[in-house]
Amino acid sequence: MERLRELIFKTAFFGGSVPIVLLAPVAAWFGERFFRSWVVGWTRYHGWCARTLMGIHTRFDGQPLPGAALYAAKHQSFYETFELVRLLDAPAVVMRQEYARIPFWGWAARRYGIIVIDRSGSASALRQMMREAKAAGAAGRPVVIFPEGTRGAIGDAPPLQAGLAGLYRAVGLPLVPIALDSARVWPKVGPMHSGVVTFRFGEAIPAGLPREQIEARVHAEMNYLNNPPPEGEGDRACAVEG
């Protein structure tokens, strides 16, 4: 049954995404605000498909900050890339350069305002990334980065990429770590499953802390759901969507 639901979900979502992406250049003609609403509409379609067709629901532990902030999120599947865009109402997202080169989608992503990170790590590329992130924050947009660099499995806790500390210093915004467990329902390898994905927003970390301190706190908070405390300890207000 789960395999059938996965087939229906992927057929509906990816099939329905084709006209959305192909019509992106047309949507872009109506201005930046309309185009970002177009992208958020796409993420809402993804959420509807996930809930209705695949039986995947989202549980929130904590909540995002009002206004601009830097969010450092765990990365385990494609699920959070859509959900965070919807939840944070069109944030600027730091993505690998390879994604910006995908035909149609890459153009739409740049038009939306993604911030491209070049993994070659050249100084000029890093400076450009920081300038774009600072501009997004100054315009009141949240900025999202996946500092592990790639998707992982439940229990993985790789070191953070060096770009996080530089980005944190450049944007001058509070940083909110996000722990999540989307690999339980949408693993990098293997079939999808119905279930609940938890997004845990950690306590906001103020701007201006030393690199070692910020990286240690973010790494611990992002991996909170790998080893959550015993039931009853550290409970916070939660909500399940859908």
Side-chain angles (χ1 to χ4, degrees):
M1 185 62 180
E2 293 277 68
R3 289 298 182 94
L4 177 60
R5 295 184 79 171
E6 180 179 358
L7 176 61
I8 294 172
F9 164 78
K10 289 184 174 180
T11 300
F13 174 65
F14 291 109
S17 295
V18 171
I20 294 174
V21 175
L22 291 180
L23 287 172
V26 178
W29 280 102
F30 292 89
E32 183 178 279
R33 180 175 296 183
F34 180 87
F35 186 62
R36 287 178 182 164
S37 297
W38 179 272
V39 173
V40 171
W42 183 28
T43 66
R44 288 174 178 161
Y45 174 63
H46 165 267
W48 180 88
C49 289
R51 290 190 304 273
T52 307
L53 305 178
M54 193 62 227
I56 296 175
H57 300 270
T58 302
R59 174 182 181 269
F60 301 112
D61 181 354
Q63 58 186 359
L65 296 179
L70 175 62
Y71 293 86
K74 190 79 177 169
H75 194 18
Q76 294 182 345
S77 77
F78 287 117
Y79 188 80
E80 57 267 16
T81 61
F82 285 92
E83 280 293 283
L84 288 174
V85 168
R86 181 185 65 82
L87 179 63
L88 299 175
D89 194 24
V93 182
V94 180
M95 290 187 177
R96 289 183 297 175
Q97 190 177 48
E98 293 89 331
Y99 292 128
R101 294 172 177 167
I102 300 173
F104 287 101
W105 191 92
W107 179 90
R110 290 308 303 256
R111 182 72 176 178
Y112 163 82
I114 69 162
I115 300 167
V116 173
I117 183 169
D118 184 354
R119 282 192 161 184
S120 66
S122 67
S124 61
L126 288 174
R127 285 195 297 269
Q128 178 65 23
M129 178 192 73
M130 293 176 189
R131 282 194 297 269
E132 293 179 8
K134 188 173 182 178
R141 294 183 73 189
V143 179
V144 176
I145 185 172
F146 299 99
E148 292 175 336
T150 188
R151 288 173 292 160
I154 294 292
D156 288 351
L160 305 181
Q161 300 290 311
L164 172 65
L167 193 63
Y168 165 75
R169 185 170 58 251
V171 299
L173 295 171
L175 192 161
V176 180
I178 302 176
L180 52 88
D181 55 1
S182 57
R184 297 186 191 281
V185 299
W186 193 341
K188 184 176 182 179
V189 178
M192 297 175 67
H193 308 278
S194 59
V196 177
V197 176
T198 297
F199 284 76
R200 183 183 189 273
F201 293 87
E203 292 187 10
I205 302 171
L209 296 184
R211 175 175 178 173
E212 295 77 11
Q213 186 175 348
I214 191 69
E215 289 185 341
R217 289 182 63 175
V218 169
H219 191 267
E221 288 278 2
M222 282 176 51
N223 289 289
Y224 178 91
L225 293 177
N226 282 348
N227 296 288
E231 186 175 354
E233 294 185 18
D235 289 347
R236 306 190 305 178
C238 302
V240 177
E241 187 172 79

